[in-house]
Amino acid sequence: MVSFYPDIPEVEASRTCGEFVFLMDRSGSMQSPLSYQKNSQLRIEAAKETLLLLLKSLPMGCYFNIYGFGSSYDKFFPESVKYTQETMEEAVKRVKDLAADLGGTEILTPLLNMYKAPSIPGHPLQ
């Protein structure tokens, strides 16, 4: 009796991780309530809660950055950083302090900046 076993290469344990870039509206309109009901949550507060949830759900080893935009824009890090416990905690602290303080709503400039930034090999931009 003869048994043949095919040579199947092992699947690499580590998956390709992405680069996650979050773009948050921080224009003055985000200071308004979500609805006209009494004690309705402000749009900026709802956006911050969502951003915190997404931020805490990222896989370890990926890269991330957070942009805020209005008439101008800013970003948390000069370029995307590796997602670690430390960088996540730093970002969470900064998200909690965000405000709708960037004026009008001009999204094109931060989008152009995001897409012109050099890509991180093996980490597709998302």
Side-chain angles (χ1 to χ4, degrees), residues 22 47-59 83:
F22 299 98
K48 287 165 46 173
E49 285 178 12
T50 302
L51 182 56
L52 289 172
L53 176 70
L54 293 170
L55 191 57
K56 291 178 181 180
S57 300
L58 291 176
Y83 184 79

Side-chain angles (χ1 to χ4, degrees), residues 29-46:
S29 64
M30 293 296 285
Q31 194 58 35
S32 62
L34 285 170
S35 72
Y36 294 109
Q37 295 177 351
K38 188 175 181 179
N39 298 325
S40 179
Q41 184 180 36
L42 297 179
R43 293 171 192 237
I44 190 72
E45 295 304 321

Side-chain angles (χ1 to χ4, degrees), residues 12 14-21 58-65 80-84 114-115 117-126:
E12 188 177 324
S14 66
R15 297 178 304 166
T16 299
C17 221
E19 175 186 4
F20 298 88
V21 180
L58 291 176
M60 286 293 177
C62 69
Y63 287 78
F64 78 102
N65 206 347
S80 293
V81 294
K82 192 165 191 168
Y83 184 79
T84 64
M114 286 168 41
Y115 286 109
S119 61
I120 300 170
H123 298 273
L125 180 63
Q126 298 183 46

